Amino acid sequence: MKQNNGSSAVSMSKNKSRKSWSRLPLKVKLIGFFLLFAFLLLVFLWLFQIVFLDDFYKMIKTSQIKSSTSYLCENIEDPDVEDLIETIHTGNGMSVAVYDTSTEFFTRVYESNTDRDMSLDIMPHQAYVYYIKATDAGGRVMIETEDAYGSLFGSGDSFDGRFQGEMPKIDSESSQILTCAQIVKTQSTEYFVVLKTRMTPVTSTVDTLMYQLVIITALLVIFAVVFAIAVSSVISKPIVKANEGAKELARQNYDVSFDAEGCKEICELSETLNIAAAELSTVDRLRRELIANISHDLRTPLTMISGYAEVMRDIPGENTPENLQVVIDESRRLSELVTDLLDLSKLEAQNLPVNMQEFCLTDCIRGIFSRYAKLVSQEGYVLKFESDCNVTVKGDEIRMGQVIYNLINNAINYAGEDKTVIVRQTLADGKVRIEVIDNGKGISQEDMKYIWDRYYRVDKEHRSAVIGSGLGLSIVKNVLLLHKARFGVKSKVGEGSNFWFELEACPNQIP
Ligand code: ADP
């Protein structure tokens, strides 16, 4: 229990510190990041330039002498071997001696000029010792020794005035001498190759570097801070500006415009916020319209119902079946409106139960057509259904019926003077296409974008005389999306509209 408390306390404090870090201003964070970067840079510099410098130097020297020895051994019988030895000597600062070990006296056959650097002299007796060591080691040996002359002479001051002649060339610090010796057997004879090089102590170099690094450290810290401040102001300025605009947006001021620039992401953010502002403004307008429309749509039938009911109650003889029919019709309309609203909200929330099964779409359309018999006989509408086969599809029959019903209702409501509505069913490439065509007033390009939005009406003036809740196409869109159907509208002002959708037909349909 106690442990539990302890771990929750730890995670709480972690959360707290994470929160406080995420709430830090951009400037502070950037300074932090730049300082961290500078710190890491300096750590690497100090490690490589100071701590490991000696090891690196030794490593490089060792590999240099090894590769030079190998190269010389490979080319020992080359006619230009003397030039090669000279190149190794002058280029790499190594002394070279080559002995013929097949002779009785261990004869020196080549030798580089040692520049009077006695430490790099290769004495015959020394060479002999190296030879024995190389033989024991299997052919090649690496030897690291103190510079005997260096420690003996020191800086050479002790010979001041008494030594006649040129002072031997030695390093004042006690350096190390690295020797690489290798036995090379050729067809005719055996050679012994000895290379010597000096490893100068890096202490003085390290001192210089350290001094430089202290200055570099100070400069880097100053640059990191200055740079972070400059960069943060370049980055944060447009973000602060965008944030101000977003706050305005939150205060429901949809006229705000975002024009912050700075980098690609900020420009994109500005564009997105502009789109969001436009969308929010549309949603707000639609919301107002929605409330106005719903109130109007609810009030009209309610007024009718209560009006007729009062008339029937108060005026004798008015309790006629016709008046009662009006009350029944208006109540049905009211109920349809409420059902539409509920359906739409469920569809949009994606929690409307759907019953996907195979059903005959053609029969479904025929069934809907029968509902319009009265409209056809009494009001002179011409409703045509063109189909050349029965098509089965997989979907929710009730919802698909709702789609077709809404589309036909709209076509009737907005039909032209010819009062003709055609529903056409075609089957091609395994897909059934349903088109609902009228020759009415059509829809403008501008309105075409919005007609699928709920409560969008091209004709803003409320028309309670026609059927329709202003939710019809919105329900159509959501049901078709649920069925993953393709859908759309072709329309021309003054010529009429063609609302269509396509569904996957079940296999084995006879065209
Ligand atoms: P409504 O109840 O207003 O018909 P809908 O969502 O069904 O609501 O339609 C939205 C709008 O689309 C309609 O108000 C109308 O302006 C336009 N519309 C829909 N169908 C047609 C059509 N066949 N011809 C012309 N305009 C149409």
Side-chain angles (χ1 to χ4, degrees), residues 406-407 409-415 436 438 440-443 447 450-459 463 466-476 489 491 496-499:
N406 283 349
L407 291 178
N409 264 352
N410 277 350
I412 290 171
N413 279 339
Y414 304 101
V436 181
D438 68 69
K441 60 176 192 164
I443 309 161
D447 290 320
Y450 304 108
I451 53 168
W452 305 95
D453 295 344
R454 62 182 148 131
Y455 267 102
Y456 186 82
R457 276 180 167 144
V458 174
D459 190 355
R463 308 188 312 151
V466 292
I467 323 156
S469 55
L471 303 171
L473 286 184
S474 206
I475 292 175
V476 168
V489 56
S491 187
S497 313
N498 177 335
F499 280 83

Side-chain angles (χ1 to χ4, degrees), residues 193-214:
V193 174
V194 183
L195 269 81
K196 260 189 178 186
T197 188
R198 178 190 295 284
M199 289 200 294
T200 321
V202 290
T203 339
S204 55
T205 319
V206 166
D207 286 347
T208 319
L209 284 175
M210 209 133 89
Y211 184 69
Q212 279 187 353
L213 275 177
V214 170

Side-chain angles (χ1 to χ4, degrees), residues 149-325:
Y149 288 100
S151 45
L152 177 67
F153 290 117
S155 62
D157 286 350
S158 51
F159 292 90
D160 189 25
R162 280 171 287 157
F163 181 77
Q164 297 296 307
E166 203 176 334
M167 283 289 287
K169 191 181 161 196
I170 48 164
D171 202 310
S172 60
E173 288 180 75
S174 86
S175 51
Q176 300 261 289
I177 303 296
L178 191 64
T179 311
C180 183
Q182 187 169 337
I183 301 166
V184 205
K185 285 193 170 82
T186 62
Q187 279 178 342
S188 52
T189 182
E190 184 191 79
Y191 291 105
F192 183 52
V193 174
V194 183
L195 269 81
K196 260 189 178 186
T197 188
R198 178 190 295 284
M199 289 200 294
T200 321
V202 290
T203 339
S204 55
T205 319
V206 166
D207 286 347
T208 319
L209 284 175
M210 209 133 89
Y211 184 69
Q212 279 187 353
L213 275 177
V214 170
I215 298 169
I216 291 174
T217 306
L219 285 177
L220 258 180
V221 170
I222 295 167
F223 276 134
V225 174
V226 172
F227 212 63
I229 292 170
V231 170
S232 72
S233 66
V234 169
I235 296 174
S236 66
K237 227 182 221 166
I239 296 180
V240 170
K241 205 174 162 194
N243 190 29
E244 294 295 317
K247 279 182 189 160
E248 276 299 305
L249 205 60
R251 283 185 217 114
Q252 296 186 349
N253 174 10
Y254 303 121
D255 296 333
V256 63
S257 93
F258 296 89
D259 52 5
E261 284 176 357
C263 54
K264 187 176 160 241
E265 287 79 3
I266 306 272
C267 291
E268 277 177 11
L269 178 70
S270 294
E271 277 165 28
T272 312
L273 284 168
N274 276 329
I275 295 169
E279 286 292 314
L280 279 172
S281 139
T282 313
V283 168
D284 190 56
R285 186 175 49 75
L286 287 176
R287 186 179 56 87
R288 286 174 213 273
E289 278 178 26
L290 176 99
I291 293 167
N293 287 344
I294 290 186
S295 344
H296 187 277
D297 280 349
L298 289 176
R299 210 178 47 216
T300 314
L302 279 173
T303 317
M304 295 276 274
I305 292 166
S306 64
Y308 271 79
E310 276 172 21
V311 166
M312 285 190 289
R313 185 196 61 194
D314 297 341
I315 306 171
E318 280 299 319
N319 196 351
T320 60
E322 290 78 28
N323 285 351
L324 262 175
Q325 191 55 47

Side-chain angles (χ1 to χ4, degrees), residues 262-501:
C263 54
K264 187 176 160 241
E265 287 79 3
I266 306 272
C267 291
E268 277 177 11
L269 178 70
S270 294
E271 277 165 28
T272 312
L273 284 168
N274 276 329
I275 295 169
E279 286 292 314
L280 279 172
S281 139
T282 313
V283 168
D284 190 56
R285 186 175 49 75
L286 287 176
R287 186 179 56 87
R288 286 174 213 273
E289 278 178 26
L290 176 99
I291 293 167
N293 287 344
I294 290 186
S295 344
H296 187 277
D297 280 349
L298 289 176
R299 210 178 47 216
T300 314
L302 279 173
T303 317
M304 295 276 274
I305 292 166
S306 64
Y308 271 79
E310 276 172 21
V311 166
M312 285 190 289
R313 185 196 61 194
D314 297 341
I315 306 171
E318 280 299 319
N319 196 351
T320 60
E322 290 78 28
N323 285 351
L324 262 175
Q325 191 55 47
V326 173
V327 173
I328 292 167
D329 285 348
E330 290 302 316
S331 320
R332 199 169 286 150
R333 199 169 145 190
L334 206 58
S335 137
E336 267 173 21
L337 176 68
V338 174
T339 314
D340 273 2
L341 270 171
L342 278 174
D343 280 356
L344 187 62
S345 71
K346 280 183 191 162
L347 275 166
E348 285 182 344
Q350 289 181 352
N351 60 11
L352 188 84
V354 278
N355 179 20
M356 290 290 196
Q357 56 182 22
E358 289 187 7
F359 69 95
C360 180
L361 186 66
T362 323
D363 282 348
C364 174
I365 299 172
R366 282 194 197 107
I368 292 165
F369 257 64
S370 64
R371 291 196 224 166
Y372 293 99
K374 210 171 142 192
L375 204 70
V376 172
S377 62
Q378 288 181 3
E379 303 205 18
Y381 278 91
V382 183
L383 262 68
K384 285 189 208 160
F385 180 36
E386 299 174 359
S387 72
D388 44 15
C389 64
N390 282 352
V391 180
T392 312
V393 291
K394 193 168 182 188
D396 186 320
E397 189 171 358
I398 297 174
R399 297 292 153 210
M400 284 313 297
Q402 206 175 358
V403 166
I404 296 157
Y405 183 68
N406 283 349
L407 291 178
I408 297 177
N409 264 352
N410 277 350
I412 290 171
N413 279 339
Y414 304 101
E417 280 171 9
D418 63 352
K419 289 190 168 182
T420 304
V421 173
I422 300 169
V423 178
R424 188 176 293 146
Q425 174 200 290
T426 41
L427 181 67
D429 301 330
K431 284 195 176 79
V432 58
R433 185 180 172 102
I434 305 293
E435 291 167 279
V436 181
I437 308 157
D438 68 69
N439 303 313
K441 60 176 192 164
I443 309 161
S444 70
Q445 283 295 323
E446 181 54 33
D447 290 320
M448 209 100 87
K449 285 185 266 177
Y450 304 108
I451 53 168
W452 305 95
D453 295 344
R454 62 182 148 131
Y455 267 102
Y456 186 82
R457 276 180 167 144
V458 174
D459 190 355
K460 296 283 181 271
E461 183 191 313
H462 214 75
R463 308 188 312 151
S464 55
V466 292
I467 323 156
S469 55
L471 303 171
L473 286 184
S474 206
I475 292 175
V476 168
K477 179 181 91 174
N478 280 288
V479 173
L480 289 175
L481 285 177
L482 204 70
H483 283 77
K484 296 188 172 58
R486 273 174 21 94
F487 62 93
V489 56
K490 287 187 276 180
S491 187
K492 247 187 182 171
V493 177
E495 287 182 21
S497 313
N498 177 335
F499 280 83
W500 62 269
F501 68 86

